[in-house]
Every structure is written in C-alpha cells, then in structure tokens.
Amino acid sequence: MNPETIVSFEKVNKWFGQFHVLRDIDLQVRKGERIVICGPSGSGKSTLIRCINRLEEHQQGRISVAGIELGEDLRAIDQVRKQVGMVFQQFNLFPHLTVLENLTLAPIQVSKLSVEAATERAMQQLERVRIAEQAHKYPLQLSGGQQQRVAIARALCLTPQVMLFDEPTSALDPEMIKEVLDVMVELAEQGITMLCVTHEMGFAKAVADRVIFMDQGQIVEQNTPQSFFDHPQHDRTKDFLAKIIGH
C-alpha cells in the first residue's frame, strides 16, 4: 500500500440479504484528500463510507484505514474508530446533555482525557465551527444548522485523521445549508482527509480533489471536479448530472 494512502478498498463486496449493495469496490484515498461521493438514492454511497468505520460490515474484499485492516478483530475496529470521525444526516446529539457535555463525553470516556483537557478541546472545536457561544445550551434550543455544526465539532474532538460526512445537509432547511457547508469548506482548507456523501454540487466544485459517481453499488466514474462536471464520460453520469443540475 502506498504510504500516502489512508483508506483502502480492495475488491470490496457487501450484501443486505439478496441485495448486492457494494460490487467490487476498489478505492484508494490519500492523506489530506477531499472526496465527494454522489449518485442516485440506493447506489451504495452511504454504505461505502459506513464500512470505513465498521458501522457496516463488508463480506468480501479488504478495507484498511491508516494501515489497520478492518476484519473481525474488535481491537482493530476500536483503533480505526478512534481515527475516523463521522457526521450523519440526523445530528445524533444527546438532547439531555448540553452542547459542551455532548462534546466532552467521548474524550473523557474513550480517550481518558481529564474534564479540564476535554473541556478545553471542546471549546477549541466549537470556536472552529463558530458556535462557542452556544456551549451551555441544549441541542433542542439550537437551529438545525447549529446542531449540525455541534455534531461536526463533536467528531473533531477525537482528533480524527479522517472525517466522514453522510449527507450532512439533507435534513436542513435551505437557509441553514450554507452555514454548515461554510464550516466544511474551512475544514477542507485545513488539510483533513474528508469523504463526503452529498448532492451539494457547488460544494463538490469548491472543495473536492476528486468526485466519485456511484450507481448500483459500483464506482461508475471518478475525476477532478472540473473534468467530472464539464466532461462526464458515462451516460449514467450525464443522466444524473442532467437531473441534479440541469446539465
């Protein structure tokens, strides 16, 4: 494996019952690379990134993250999860905990940080997503866009090497999408490795090093944003782009 590779898929297959959701996926992600994954509903995009931190189990092939292969070894899975942050569609915040408590929970319990160190780190990440003044509020007192920024800060509190975003703006009102995407653009500029499943094509153009198009469990096409949007190669890609941006 190339030493620059941080996430590697080799001939990965996954089924849900009879449904073949991932088909012979080969994918190498370099450290610091920013990848946007798009495609129609049911094409396997979310399953692909959920395999990276073993939220979904693959049945064939090999997946490794930071040189650690994901298999049955629970310690290896734990090691990988410490290095991979994930932001979901739904914010998955604990409603009975304040923003600050949501952020310090895992660093104290998982990383064994002191309360003081965890609090300091949490406040740094809340500053990073421009929401530090909300630290003592509860999630339901915040807008959807603010809650999603809290969720991003929470993932960053474990200082991951890789950040996964699973349609992070799809549950948001249109006016809140921009505030979340702005934060993600800033993160991208700081060199963190990112894989983002999204239909926000403007974000893909602004941030991605590579855009991957999936359909029926396969990577159909991948390219730089400019080539992907200006010169799509496959009919399925052209059809998808025509629907999503009137290309």
Side-chain angles (χ1 to χ4, degrees), residues 6 29-35 83-86 125 128 152 155-165 183-195 207 209:
I6 190 159
V29 181
R30 296 188 309 278
K31 284 179 186 166
E33 193 175 14
R34 301 169 305 238
I35 293 178
Q83 302 186 56
V84 178
M86 182 139 190
Q125 301 307 341
R128 197 170 173 186
I152 293 170
L156 291 168
C157 277
L158 291 173
T159 58
Q161 291 195 56
V162 180
M163 280 286 280
L164 309 175
F165 295 89
V183 163
M184 290 171 63
V185 168
E186 282 180 29
L187 283 184
E189 288 166 354
Q190 292 163 17
I192 196 161
T193 307
M194 293 171 71
L195 288 95
V207 163
D209 298 307

Side-chain angles (χ1 to χ4, degrees), residues 48-114:
L48 176 83
I49 66 166
R50 289 168 71 91
C51 284
I52 294 172
N53 60 356
R54 198 67 168 179
L55 287 178
E56 296 288 357
E57 216 173 291
H58 61 290
Q59 282 107 356
Q60 284 179 1
R62 295 181 59 183
I63 300 175
S64 56
V65 180
I68 303 164
E69 184 170 347
L70 280 171
E72 298 304 317
D73 183 347
L74 295 177
R75 280 174 307 182
I77 293 169
D78 271 351
Q79 271 182 290
V80 166
R81 285 182 176 162
K82 286 177 182 170
Q83 302 186 56
V84 178
M86 182 139 190
V87 178
F88 301 87
Q89 289 180 23
Q90 307 297 341
F91 324 120
N92 291 6
L93 300 170
F94 292 111
H96 63 289
L97 300 180
T98 65
V99 165
L100 190 58
E101 287 165 343
N102 266 284
L103 266 62
T104 56
L105 189 65
I108 291 168
Q109 291 191 353
V110 178
S111 304
K112 306 300 181 206
L113 286 190
S114 68

Side-chain angles (χ1 to χ4, degrees), residues 204-229:
K205 288 178 184 175
V207 163
D209 298 307
R210 187 165 26 143
V211 180
I212 290 174
F213 173 69
M214 289 186 69
D215 194 19
Q216 297 180 351
Q218 293 176 304
I219 293 176
V220 174
E221 185 164 346
Q222 49 184 317
N223 218 323
T224 62
Q226 186 168 4
S227 296
F228 181 84
F229 290 109

Side-chain angles (χ1 to χ4, degrees), residues 107-127:
I108 291 168
Q109 291 191 353
V110 178
S111 304
K112 306 300 181 206
L113 286 190
S114 68
V115 173
E116 294 75 17
T119 301
E120 184 180 348
R121 184 184 289 180
M123 291 308 297
Q124 284 171 348
Q125 301 307 341
L126 288 171
E127 294 277 357

Side-chain angles (χ1 to χ4, degrees), residues 27 35-39 43-46 48-49 52 165 167 195-199 201 204 208 210-214 219 240:
L27 177 64
I35 293 178
V36 165
I37 304 168
C38 61
S43 58
K45 313 178 295 292
S46 293
L48 176 83
I49 66 166
I52 294 172
F165 295 89
E167 302 200 30
L195 288 95
C196 182
V197 173
T198 185
H199 289 309
M201 294 298 115
R210 187 165 26 143
V211 180
I212 290 174
F213 173 69
M214 289 186 69
I219 293 176
F240 175 77

